[in-house]
Amino acid sequence: MYQASRRSISAAVRAPALIRGSAVPVTSSPYCAFEKIIDNNDGGNTAPPSFSSPRFLSTLTLGSAGSIKPGILTSALPFGSRFMILPGSVRGEATVAEVETTEGPVEKYEYQAEVSRLLDLIVHSLYSHKEVFLRELISNASDALDKLRFLSVTEPSLLGNGGELEIRVKADKENGTITLLDSGIGMTKEELVDCLGTIAQSGTAKFMKALKDSKEAGSDNLIGQFGVGFYSAFLVSDKIVVSTKSPKSDKQYVWEGQADTSSYVIREETIPDKLIPRGTSITLHLKTEDKLEYADSEKLMSLVKNYSQFVSFPIYIWKEKTQAIEVEVDDEAKEGEAIAPEGQKKKKTKTITEKYSDWELANETEPIWMRNTKSVSTEEYNEFYKKTFNEYMDPLACTHFNTEGEVEFRGILYIPAIAPMGREDIANPKTKNIRLYVKRVFISDDFDGELFPRYLGFVKGVVDSNDLPLNVSREILQESRIVRVMRKRLLKKTFEMISGIALSEDKEDYKKFWDNFGKNLKIGVIEDNSNHKKLAPLLRFFSSYSEDELISLDQYVDSMKEGQKDIYYIASDSITSARDAPFLEKLLEKEYEVLYLVDPIDEVTIQNLKSYKDKSFVDITKEDLDLGDRDEAKEKQVKKEFLSFCDWMKDHLGDKVAKVDISNRLSSSPCVLVSGRFGWSANMERLMKAQTMGDTSSMEFMRSRRILEINPEHAIIKNLNAACKDAPKSQDALKAIDLLYDTALISSGFTPENPAELGGKIYSMMDIALAGKWAGSTTEGFNDNASESSSAVGVEETEVIESVQKQETPSEVNEASEAEIIESAEVQAESTSSKK
């Protein structure tokens, strides 16, 4: 095989024959058929190097051919093979050959690309559903009608006697074909070669560019700008026949192409029955596997109603219908009766069903979003909502809008009355609630957050844009400034609609909304930081002043007490546990309102919100709580007095607590266990433990450093402080510290690590406290049983009681009369002395 050198390649590119792109007739030479090229690539007869025949270039020498345009290598083999340059293809011109047939002269054209591979790419990559082929063809037909209507303003003669501007679709089950006919502008022979012979060539795009260049208006209603829309027909067909007649030409031409070939033919239509006055007829010869599904008028009707229902031109479907007709029947004489004369016979009729076919209008519905808002009633909005989204209840709210400016689009958005079953809108980011139309042609309802974020997936509606950028399949939105602007405006309209419900006089409406979609807004706070200011006023919570009715953050801020700087909250599993938590004692005394976060997602939501109207959110279960009334001198004195006591408790508890400190949030409880500032709260720790797929390895790392805060005014703390000074190694006092810690662990919302051990401690203390308490009012036998039960406490508990009795002094007894441990010892001592 002849291999060209670098110098010969440069000479070939500069050669006049190639630069002119002259056409070469298709011959039987093995070098002019692509199949032969593959067969002869390994050797065989070779042609001498000349510019009138194909040239084979080694892939190793292509690097120096910098002047070769991308389109020069029109037929490419895999890397390591050789490439062929077809003469006349440097500038991408078609090669032509005339072939004589029985129907007249036919011209054969070669595609200007490797069409077999490109069509395969279109079929398997560009489109996600086969059924979109009809949408694409109808969109192209609508373009042709629009173009004719526009041009006829200045050239009325173009309309001629071609009839009304319309689209007709007919299926033929017997032959397995679908024919689509439009009365649009049609195409000349040159336009056929230009538009259908070049992949991705768009006549609409050229037309719009010409309008833009001439600064003329009226192109906004053109649908398609990509030339691959026509080739989507190969999704369901293996052969396409296009017959077209342009008012600018006296002849009608037929284009024929197949999916598995690299060429197409164009011929003049000579059969009188197939001549049309104006427009284009496209006949699809369906594939065997698609004949049964798509060669059906009902299927075509459903596709038109789904994708092209709102096209501005009428679309007719050829359908088989039935009608009831009455026919006459002879009244036969019964047996034994005389036959009546011919003129005296009684005529009877019966009803039969007759089948017939006729055209039926498929798109009689006018787009409701294109109408003026003042002309649409509430009933019409509700009816459109129910019909479009298969709902049975009226929507909770609706907004109809038309945005203008740099991006223009219309739309209607709805908020459903109830949430979907299973709450799939929260878990699944892809919802089918927003139907996107481009120039009233349905594009898709399957998006992944391009138009709406996940947390607003419950919003339903339609959006229609005239200039939305789409890819070649019109189904996947491209990342662009226009899409971002659309998303921003749709979010704004949605928030306005939700705010309108919140501010309405009927408070029940927003209560219904919150019950159904409140979690969505909380997720929005977590995921969408840019819209916190719009989301925060819509949140609702229970509080210490409103346990039965949800309040907004605005209501909380408006009712804040003088001197209150922060918004306080506590996260718990229920209103009851939040209300009874020891953390609220001092705040309730100061009449500070506390938000109850009882929904598992509430705490994460507030942590992401951080502040509202310059008021910070403060978790009252965390350390360093500042209530704005600190007396530093008094705090310093109290800390000095209880310094050794705090160290004593910390040494005994060890790693269970980070430190023991004086509390400023307690008034009636002896102590409370608070979380570290940056660790998990008790509620968050409980939730993370309950996660099925939780990471246990990070549990210990994120576990909050717990701090035991004591109330120095409580009797138990005072007695233990005395024990710290007089008997720091007393087993009774140390056991009291353990029980105090375990009790604070539970009351603060934490889960004890060993519930059984805690239960044993409580039972022991109950036995000590109750032993002999009712001995005087019961029988001796009962006292004996009680004594036996008391002795069952064990030697250890008896020693604890005796040691406590020995340690007490008269002054200490008066001082610690309210402490539970001391009181229990006194009760048993009195019971023992009475028995003696």
Side-chain angles (χ1 to χ4, degrees):
M1 179 179 291
Y2 177 79
Q3 296 184 4
S5 64
R6 294 186 179 183
R7 182 174 299 175
S8 63
I9 294 173
S10 301
V13 174
R14 294 192 299 270
L18 284 179
I19 295 176
R20 288 195 303 271
S22 57
V24 178
V26 178
T27 67
S28 59
S29 170
Y31 301 99
C32 297
F34 186 67
E35 293 80 0
K36 293 294 183 180
I37 295 171
I38 298 177
D39 294 338
N40 294 312
N41 194 36
D42 56 349
N45 297 329
T46 59
S50 67
F51 295 125
S52 60
S53 61
R55 300 292 298 274
F56 290 84
L57 309 181
S58 170
T59 55
L60 301 178
T61 63
L62 291 178
S64 61
S67 59
I68 298 180
K69 297 184 178 180
I72 191 171
L73 302 178
T74 58
S75 299
L77 297 179
F79 182 79
S81 302
R82 305 186 185 279
F83 295 84
M84 181 186 77
I85 301 178
L86 292 177
S89 60
V90 174
R91 297 196 312 182
E93 297 182 2
T95 58
V96 186
E98 292 190 358
V99 182
E100 293 291 338
T101 66
T102 57
E103 297 178 347
V106 175
E107 295 179 357
K108 189 175 182 180
Y109 292 81
E110 292 292 333
Y111 286 105
Q112 298 173 41
E114 194 174 340
V115 177
S116 59
R117 295 182 62 186
L118 183 57
L119 291 180
D120 183 73
L121 178 66
I122 293 174
V123 171
H124 295 97
S125 301
L126 294 184
Y127 296 97
S128 55
H129 303 287
K130 282 186 175 183
E131 61 188 26
V132 301
F133 79 93
L134 188 61
R135 178 196 69 189
E136 297 295 310
L137 295 180
I138 290 179
S139 298
N140 290 339
S142 179
D143 284 348
L145 293 167
D146 263 322
K147 186 175 180 180
L148 175 63
R149 183 168 58 181
F150 179 83
L151 296 177
S152 64
V153 176
T154 55
E155 297 182 64
S157 60
L158 293 176
L159 293 174
N161 57 351
E164 300 293 332
L165 301 181
E166 60 187 15
I167 303 170
R168 296 183 181 269
V169 183
K170 182 179 180 180
D172 187 346
K173 286 186 178 181
E174 294 182 1
N175 297 318
T177 62
I178 298 175
T179 301
L180 187 143
L181 174 66
D182 70 77
S183 56
I185 190 64
M187 289 177 281
T188 62
K189 179 181 176 182
E190 292 74 16
E191 289 171 339
L192 270 178
V193 176
D194 192 27
C195 295
L196 302 188
T198 304
I199 304 298
Q201 176 73 12
S202 172
T204 301
K206 285 188 175 182
F207 182 60
M208 293 186 67
K209 184 177 184 301
L211 291 177
K212 183 178 180 181
D213 294 341
S214 61
K215 298 182 179 180
E216 295 180 20
S219 61
D220 289 343
N221 54 1
L222 294 177
I223 299 173
Q225 296 186 46
F226 292 97
V228 297
F230 167 77
Y231 298 97
S232 65
F234 284 111
L235 290 166
V236 296
S237 60
D238 48 24
K239 179 182 178 182
I240 302 176
V241 178
V242 179
S243 182
T244 181
K245 171 66 170 62
S246 172
K248 299 179 181 180
S249 175
D250 296 333
K251 297 181 180 180
Q252 180 174 327
Y253 293 95
V254 178
W255 180 98
E256 291 187 12
Q258 295 186 357
D260 56 351
T261 62
S262 60
S263 62
Y264 60 93
V265 298
I266 295 179
R267 58 180 172 82
E268 181 182 346
E269 183 61 79
T270 57
I271 302 176
D273 294 341
K274 295 184 179 181
L275 295 177
I276 56 178
R278 183 191 67 236
T280 301
S281 173
I282 302 176
T283 301
L284 311 181
H285 295 263
L286 299 176
K287 298 177 181 178
T288 305
E289 63 271 18
D290 295 316
K291 288 181 180 179
L292 185 62
E293 180 178 4
Y294 293 106
D296 180 71
S297 58
E298 292 295 336
K299 177 65 175 180
L300 298 179
M301 178 69 75
S302 66
L303 293 180
V304 170
K305 287 187 176 294
N306 185 42
Y307 290 102
S308 307
Q309 183 180 10
F310 303 110
V311 171
S312 56
F313 299 98
I315 303 173
Y316 295 94
I317 305 292
W318 184 257
K319 287 189 62 177
E320 186 180 79
K321 303 180 180 181
T322 58
Q323 64 179 356
I325 60 174
E326 291 187 353
V327 296
E328 294 182 353
V329 295
D330 293 334
D331 186 13
E332 298 181 358
K334 296 181 180 179
E335 186 177 354
E337 292 183 359
I339 300 176
E342 187 68 26
Q344 298 179 5
K345 285 184 178 181
K346 295 180 180 180
K347 298 294 185 180
K348 282 190 175 182
T349 61
K350 69 175 183 179
T351 302
I352 63 173
T353 302
E354 183 183 50
K355 293 183 178 180
Y356 71 102
S357 296
D358 195 8
W359 295 103
E360 181 175 327
L361 185 63
N363 61 333
E364 55 188 353
T365 306
E366 180 185 1
I368 190 174
W369 61 84
M370 300 299 293
R371 296 165 56 184
N372 192 306
T373 55
K374 296 180 180 179
S375 65
V376 185
S377 64
T378 303
E379 290 74 18
E380 289 179 298
Y381 284 125
N382 294 345
E383 186 63 26
F384 176 78
Y385 167 75
K386 294 178 183 178
K387 183 178 179 181
T388 305
F389 300 103
N390 296 322
E391 293 284 348
Y392 63 93
M393 295 181 64
D394 291 339
L396 193 61
C398 166
T399 178
H400 184 181
F401 57 90
N402 177 24
T403 63
E404 297 179 352
E406 56 181 341
V407 178
E408 296 184 4
F409 61 93
R410 295 171 178 264
I412 303 178
L413 298 179
Y414 296 93
I415 293 180
I418 58 173
M421 298 296 294
R423 308 308 299 266
E424 296 178 355
D425 58 319
I426 296 181
N428 184 12
K430 290 188 176 182
T431 63
K432 294 184 178 295
N433 292 340
I434 301 298
R435 294 177 61 85
L436 175 65
Y437 291 80
V438 174
K439 301 173 181 70
R440 294 181 287 182
V441 175
F442 175 64
I443 300 302
S444 178
D445 57 1
D446 189 6
F447 301 108
D448 191 9
E450 292 95 341
L451 292 180
F452 263 91
R454 179 180 71 157
Y455 66 91
L456 291 179
F458 62 89
V459 178
K460 299 184 178 183
V462 296
V463 178
D464 187 3
S465 172
N466 286 343
D467 51 1
L468 186 65
L470 303 173
N471 74 342
V472 290
S473 69
R474 310 187 192 197
E475 292 173 304
I476 305 172
L477 291 178
Q478 294 176 342
E479 284 295 332
S480 69
R481 179 184 57 84
I482 296 179
V483 175
R484 291 193 294 270
V485 172
M486 284 187 64
R487 175 189 171 99
K488 184 177 180 180
R489 293 190 180 179
L490 289 174
L491 286 178
K492 180 181 178 182
K493 292 296 180 181
T494 302
F495 288 133
E496 289 176 355
M497 183 167 48
I498 299 175
S499 299
I501 303 175
L503 298 175
S504 66
E505 296 181 358
D506 190 354
K507 300 301 180 183
E508 287 298 319
D509 286 346
Y510 196 75
K511 187 177 184 302
K512 292 178 183 177
F513 170 82
W514 185 257
D515 291 341
N516 286 287
F517 308 111
K519 281 186 172 63
N520 295 70
L521 300 188
K522 294 174 184 178
I523 292 176
V525 173
I526 299 171
E527 296 182 345
D528 192 357
N529 295 331
S530 60
N531 286 303
H532 276 181
K533 291 184 179 180
K534 297 177 181 178
L535 286 164
L538 303 174
L539 300 178
R540 297 293 185 269
F541 303 99
F542 292 106
S543 75
S544 56
Y545 286 175
S546 180
E547 296 183 1
D548 300 324
E549 186 176 350
L550 293 164
I551 65 168
S552 65
L553 295 179
D554 287 323
Q555 290 175 290
Y556 181 97
V557 173
D558 293 340
S559 61
M560 288 176 63
K561 296 296 180 181
E562 185 178 354
Q564 182 179 349
K565 300 179 181 179
D566 301 313
I567 300 175
Y568 300 107
Y569 71 89
I570 180 173
S572 185
D573 58 346
S574 66
I575 294 178
T576 303
S577 59
R579 180 206 309 136
D580 298 334
F583 303 99
L584 277 76
E585 293 174 358
K586 190 62 71 71
L587 284 95
L588 296 180
E589 283 185 3
K590 298 174 69 67
E591 297 184 345
Y592 285 172
E593 189 173 11
V594 180
L595 296 177
Y596 293 161
L597 309 186
V598 295
D599 196 333
I601 198 175
D602 284 350
E603 185 174 0
V604 182
T605 300
I606 292 298
Q607 288 174 354
N608 279 269
L609 199 56
K610 296 181 181 178
S611 64
Y612 182 72
K613 291 186 175 180
D614 298 329
K615 307 289 184 182
S616 299
F617 288 99
V618 175
D619 186 351
I620 64 173
T621 67
K622 296 292 185 72
E623 64 176 322
D624 297 333
L625 178 65
D626 184 10
L627 300 179
D629 59 347
R630 303 186 65 174
D631 188 344
E632 295 184 0
K634 184 178 180 180
E635 286 183 6
K636 187 176 181 181
Q637 181 181 357
V638 173
K639 285 186 177 181
K640 183 178 179 181
E641 180 182 350
F642 285 86
L643 179 61
S644 59
F645 173 72
C646 293
D647 293 338
W648 177 56
M649 290 190 70
K650 174 65 176 72
D651 291 339
H652 177 68
L653 295 175
D655 294 336
K656 292 181 179 179
V657 296
K659 66 177 180 178
V660 180
D661 203 354
I662 306 298
S663 177
N664 65 337
R665 74 187 84 204
L666 299 176
S667 59
S668 58
S669 299
C671 62
V672 69
L673 203 62
V674 301
S675 305
R677 183 182 303 176
F678 303 107
W680 283 340
S681 65
N683 181 69
M684 184 59 66
E685 187 174 319
R686 174 180 59 83
L687 293 176
M688 296 306 296
K689 284 182 178 180
Q691 297 298 315
T692 304
M693 304 298 292
D695 185 7
T696 55
S697 61
S698 64
M699 188 70 67
E700 196 63 32
F701 174 76
M702 289 302 298
R703 186 191 299 273
S704 173
R705 49 189 295 271
R706 300 166 183 173
I707 300 171
L708 183 64
E709 291 189 357
I710 60 173
N711 180 8
E713 303 297 328
H714 200 277
I716 293 178
I717 302 301
K718 290 181 178 180
N719 279 279
L720 286 176
N721 188 29
C724 171
K725 295 177 181 178
D726 299 337
K729 296 183 179 180
S730 169
Q731 294 299 315
D732 294 336
L734 295 179
K735 288 184 177 181
I737 292 176
D738 290 335
L739 187 60
L740 197 66
Y741 168 78
D742 290 335
T743 306
L745 192 74
I746 297 175
S747 64
S748 301
F750 294 96
T751 304
E753 296 180 1
N754 194 339
E757 181 182 353
L758 174 60
K761 294 178 183 178
I762 296 175
Y763 293 151
S764 298
M765 297 305 299
M766 288 179 64
D767 203 1
I768 294 173
L770 298 178
K773 187 175 180 69
W774 295 280
S777 59
T778 57
T779 61
E780 185 174 353
F782 180 81
N783 288 336
D784 293 339
N785 293 334
S787 300
E788 292 176 3
S789 175
S790 177
S791 62
V793 174
V795 178
E796 184 179 353
E797 282 75 11
T798 304
E799 293 176 355
V800 170
I801 296 171
E802 291 177 354
S803 62
V804 171
Q805 290 176 345
K806 291 178 182 179
Q807 290 174 7
E808 289 181 354
T809 62
S811 59
E812 288 175 346
V813 170
N814 294 333
E815 240 178 62
S817 59
E818 296 181 2
E820 293 181 7
I821 298 177
I822 303 301
E823 182 180 277
S824 300
E826 289 177 348
V827 170
Q828 186 168 6
E830 290 177 2
S831 176
T832 305
S833 62
S834 64
K835 287 181 180 181
K836 293 180 179 179

